[in-house]
Amino acid sequence: DAKLGDLWQWTEAFGWRRLAAESDVGMPSARRGPQVVWDDSFDRLLVFGGYPDQAPPFLNDLWQYVDPPPPPTRWSEVFLFYPNKTPNS
């Protein structure tokens, strides 16, 4: 049961299309069980947390995928500044 670290999109017009692969620079690490949501307001996919293997520790990072990409990459880590609070996945 390998972690692939890839991202795919389905459209009726084109079927499945690979958007990002494990070798892409600046993308989040492969993970299991992240929370994923489409943000329609900003046309981006948000990926939060998950874990790198089959057990904790949980990851506590937030990534966005934008298509088409702003230079230089489609993936970027999102940093939120709440000094007294730490989100948990």
Side-chain angles (χ1 to χ4, degrees):
D1 197 21
K3 298 173 295 211
L4 300 176
D6 52 357
L7 178 65
W8 293 77
Q9 174 188 47
W10 167 261
T11 62
E12 289 188 34
F14 300 106
W16 285 105
R17 172 176 76 123
R18 178 178 268 182
L19 298 177
E22 186 176 4
S23 62
D24 286 357
V25 175
M27 70 180 291
S29 61
R31 57 195 63 209
R32 297 178 188 274
Q35 300 300 307
V36 181
V37 65
W38 177 256
D39 179 2
D40 209 24
S41 299
F42 294 98
D43 292 329
R44 64 184 179 169
L45 180 76
L46 295 169
V47 177
F48 175 75
Y51 45 95
D53 213 328
Q54 293 185 2
F58 292 102
L59 298 169
N60 196 24
D61 54 354
L62 177 63
W63 290 82
Q64 68 178 353
Y65 180 88
V66 180
D67 189 32
T73 181
R74 295 171 189 236
W75 282 107
S76 61
E77 191 167 3
V78 178
F79 296 98
L80 303 175
F81 297 100
Y82 297 103
N84 297 324
K85 296 184 180 191
T86 302
N88 295 308
S89 61

